[in-house]
Amino acid sequence: EEYLLQSTYSMLVVYKKINGEWRLFKKVKGFHEPSRFLEIDHNNTIWVGQLVKGIYKLRMSEHLDTLAALTKFGKKEGFPSDFNIRVFKIEDRIVFTTGSILYTYDDLEHKIIPYNILNRQLNGFENATVISRIGENRYCMIRDNDFAIFDICDQHARQVTRFFLPLFHLNMVDGYPNVIRLNKEQNLVCLDDGFALFPGKTEATREGRKGKLMFRALTCYNGAGEERLLPLTESFFSLRHAWNTISVSFTYANTNIPFNTFQYRLDPIDRGWSPWSEKASVTYSRLPKGNYIFQVRTLTSTGEITAPITLSFRIKPVLVASPLALVGYAVILLAVIYFTYSHFRKKLIRKHEQLRNDTETRLLLEKHKAEQEIVKLQNENLQSEISYKNIQLANSTMALIRKNELLIGIKQELEKQKIPDNIGSPVRHTEKLVSQINKNIEDDQDWKIFEGLFDQAHGDFFKRLKSTYPELTQSDLKLCAYLKLNLSSKEIAPLLNISYRGVETRRYRLRKRLLLDNDANLVEFILQF
């Protein structure tokens, strides 16, 4: 008790009582923050509230001139922000106000935590910004122009009374609300234009319960401005939609309060209670259809909130939104839905039919195209086979020509041996060889091979030719086959074992049998047949 610690705009200052007077003792080095709130806990730890930077936890040196330790607490350490944090003591326990809830310091965990045990008992005053101790276990919780007195012991809080200063048209100093204990009998409230006193032993009274909160009048208006006064004897009433502007007035009969303040709300229009106001009426314009509950409440002279009184009403829908109209709309809507469904169903069926027809047509086209591709491939394959057969036929024909030419040459040489002055070879033996050669040249086996290859290459050529010209002989058919191969008379001669002139003669007779004109080309006719 020999020392005082003061926070200033720039530093901490220590005073010492000397000869019964407080004198400046030391200026503490190491801390230069303007600090308004300061408390010392049971461990002689100093807690300083800096309204912008947060809370500082300090330890003084033994000589009280410097800091031994400094720790800062702010938003990172558990507070909602760094601003407007103030420090007070309740039951020798450090408590921090933030304007929302109270916080305290956990000595075991060394961290800031919400003071939930107390917050749940303060009836809304956990958002107090200033706490003043005004007696043994008695504290004043202050918020704006509203404060309540609580008895707090062993973390149990009991509200003694409440003072809502606007009821008396009084206001605390803006930003600096304070209640100071003068003595056991009186406490002083600092106002913006003076002071007010209230007794130190104030207890809750029942005078506030003697008042009566009630509705004075209920009026509705239409769009033309006409008004209609509704009876207050009914707890529920209905209004036509044209009368959807409502005005409600109310009053609180209590002679202990010079001025009344009210809060009201209209469910479901208002999200919460309105601000406290002395205005004793409210008007809601052009309310939409629906059910509504209007509530109003007030404050007693001791600051207690009264139970709200309730008024229920209903705004009917406009005629076009009446139940009968809604039934008609529903019927029309169902009819529209039905006809729309039928229309789109028919349209969908036609679309499916068209798609099915298109699909079938496409499949037929694809099938026809595939068949054409198959025929094309077959034709190409057949043409390849014909070309191959023609090559075989040509090779066979040329081989046959060379063979016959060779045999004819040998035969001619043997014929020369039969000349009388050519002595040396028996005539009989020579004629035998010539006969064998002629027989080989005219061998039917070669013709059968040729005819087989020719039929493979040119189909039923002989059959068609014989059917058209039945008078043709076997020799004529052979000549036609050789002409079909576009062979010259010189090439045909050895195949038929006749002379070139003989071939021409046969060609002439063939023209007669084919009934060709004189200017007709025999080879072109055979090639086109």
Side-chain angles (χ1 to χ4, degrees), residues 263-266 273 293-297 308-311:
Q263 274 188 324
Y264 52 83
R265 66 181 178 185
L266 180 62
W273 291 98
I293 299 176
F294 178 79
Q295 293 181 304
V296 62
R297 64 186 184 181
I309 57 176
T310 301
L311 190 66

Side-chain angles (χ1 to χ4, degrees), residues 410-419 430 434 438:
I410 296 173
K411 185 181 75 171
Q412 290 175 353
E413 289 296 327
L414 290 175
E415 289 288 344
K416 292 178 182 180
Q417 301 296 326
K418 295 178 9 176
I419 300 174
T430 300
V434 171
N438 287 332

Side-chain angles (χ1 to χ4, degrees), residues 96-360:
F96 309 100
T97 65
T98 61
S100 57
I101 61 174
L102 301 183
Y103 289 80
T104 187
Y105 181 70
D106 188 339
D107 298 304
L108 299 178
E109 299 292 336
H110 301 288
K111 63 180 182 180
I112 303 297
I113 60 172
Y115 200 178
N116 290 328
I117 296 178
L118 205 57
N119 287 329
R120 289 190 288 265
Q121 304 178 63
L122 295 181
N123 301 331
F125 278 88
E126 63 273 10
N127 62 358
T129 56
V130 175
I131 302 174
S132 293
R133 187 171 181 268
I134 60 173
E136 187 68 25
N137 298 325
R138 179 161 289 191
Y139 299 88
C140 182
M141 315 294 287
I142 307 172
R143 57 182 185 187
D144 296 329
N145 290 317
D146 188 8
F147 68 92
I149 308 301
F150 288 87
D151 282 340
I152 302 175
C153 182
D154 296 330
Q155 296 185 329
H156 292 284
R158 181 181 66 88
Q159 182 174 332
V160 176
T161 189
R162 177 186 178 188
F163 291 93
F164 187 65
L165 296 182
L167 289 175
F168 309 95
H169 280 197
L170 299 176
N171 295 290
M172 290 185 173
V173 181
D174 188 22
Y176 295 87
N178 200 9
V179 174
I180 301 172
R181 182 190 184 192
L182 298 180
N183 49 54
K184 292 183 179 180
E185 303 297 331
Q186 287 186 319
N187 298 282
L188 182 142
V189 182
C190 301
L191 305 176
D192 60 356
D193 58 352
F195 301 96
L197 297 175
F198 66 93
K201 294 184 179 181
T202 300
E203 295 289 343
T205 65
R206 297 183 179 270
E207 61 176 295
R209 299 180 183 177
K210 298 178 182 179
K212 183 179 181 181
L213 178 63
M214 56 187 174
F215 292 108
R216 293 182 58 191
L218 176 62
T219 309
C220 63
Y221 302 87
N222 60 14
E226 299 175 344
E227 68 177 55
R228 179 182 299 173
L229 193 63
L230 301 175
L232 294 174
T233 56
E234 301 179 6
S235 59
F236 179 85
F237 55 90
S238 296
L239 295 174
R240 290 167 47 194
H241 193 272
W243 299 82
N244 61 348
T245 296
I246 301 295
S247 178
V248 185
S249 61
F250 32 82
T251 186
Y252 181 57
N254 190 332
T255 58
N256 295 317
I257 304 177
F259 305 99
N260 293 320
T261 57
F262 302 94
Q263 274 188 324
Y264 52 83
R265 66 181 178 185
L266 180 62
D267 184 46
I269 297 297
D270 297 327
R271 294 184 177 181
W273 291 98
S274 67
W276 290 106
S277 172
E278 294 181 13
K279 187 177 179 181
S281 65
V282 61
T283 300
Y284 291 93
S285 301
R286 303 179 65 180
L287 292 173
K289 66 176 182 178
N291 296 322
Y292 297 92
I293 299 176
F294 178 79
Q295 293 181 304
V296 62
R297 64 186 184 181
T298 188
L299 290 174
T300 66
S301 60
T302 57
E304 294 179 316
I305 300 177
T306 64
I309 57 176
T310 301
L311 190 66
S312 301
F313 60 94
R314 176 174 177 262
I315 302 294
K316 297 180 180 179
V318 293
L319 182 60
V320 294
S322 63
L324 185 60
L326 292 177
V327 171
Y329 298 152
V331 172
I332 295 174
L333 179 62
L334 290 176
V336 171
I337 292 174
Y338 173 75
F339 286 112
T340 303
Y341 169 77
S342 300
H343 171 72
F344 280 103
R345 187 172 181 273
K346 293 179 180 179
K347 186 175 180 180
L348 185 62
I349 292 174
R350 291 195 298 269
K351 185 67 174 178
H352 285 173
E353 186 69 25
Q354 181 181 355
L355 290 175
R356 184 166 57 253
N357 293 335
D358 292 344
T359 302
E360 290 177 356

Side-chain angles (χ1 to χ4, degrees), residues 363-374:
L363 291 176
L364 288 175
L365 291 176
E366 290 179 354
K367 181 180 179 181
H368 180 66
K369 185 177 179 180
E371 290 176 351
Q372 289 180 337
E373 290 292 333
I374 293 173

